[in-house]
Amino acid sequence: MHYNDCEVAWTSQWREACRVFDYSPASAERKQHPTQKPLALMRWCIGRLPADAATILDPFMGSGTTGVACVHEGRSFIGIEREPAYFDIACRRIEEAYRQPRLFEPSPPAKPVQQSLFGAAS
């Protein structure tokens, strides 16, 4: 599979310069999905949302980078992924994000209890 070396982020809303988020081989992250975005990019995007945007929905979750960014940014997350292999990768990455202590940031909030479609905890 071919993967990009970086992602470019730009918006005219904040009147800021274009940002390039590198995804170099030296990065601690390893790409696990063809369209996976760098964690720094997703944190940048989520960090620009209003504080009252407490829950982020990603209908194409892939490997879960948005969910990991939500853990780091203290937001709730709902992810949807139709491919079981990528769903499993996303769940593992998000679980790891909850377990990983932050040295220079407040600890992530307590992991929420996932509810089944029928309301019972799974």
Side-chain angles (χ1 to χ4, degrees), residues 55-78:
T55 302
I56 309 301
L57 170 66
D58 184 353
F60 307 100
M61 182 169 59
S63 62
T65 304
T66 302
V68 173
C70 285
V71 170
H72 288 232
E73 296 298 319
R75 310 279 179 128
S76 295
F77 174 72
I78 298 171

Side-chain angles (χ1 to χ4, degrees), residues 28-108:
E29 295 179 84
R30 185 174 60 87
K31 283 190 129 182
Q32 300 177 57
H33 189 276
T35 61
Q36 184 172 329
K37 305 296 182 259
L39 180 57
L41 169 63
M42 298 317 298
R43 288 189 72 178
W44 180 81
C45 291
I46 291 167
R48 299 200 164 307
L49 295 172
D52 63 348
T55 302
I56 309 301
L57 170 66
D58 184 353
F60 307 100
M61 182 169 59
S63 62
T65 304
T66 302
V68 173
C70 285
V71 170
H72 288 232
E73 296 298 319
R75 310 279 179 128
S76 295
F77 174 72
I78 298 171
I80 301 167
E81 177 55 50
R82 70 179 190 163
E83 296 296 330
Y86 291 131
F87 179 81
D88 291 343
I89 290 168
C91 290
R92 181 181 41 78
R93 290 183 69 211
I94 294 167
E95 288 281 340
E96 287 173 4
Y98 275 109
R99 284 194 306 266
Q100 181 66 41
R102 302 280 164 246
L103 296 177
F104 302 107
E105 299 175 22
S107 296

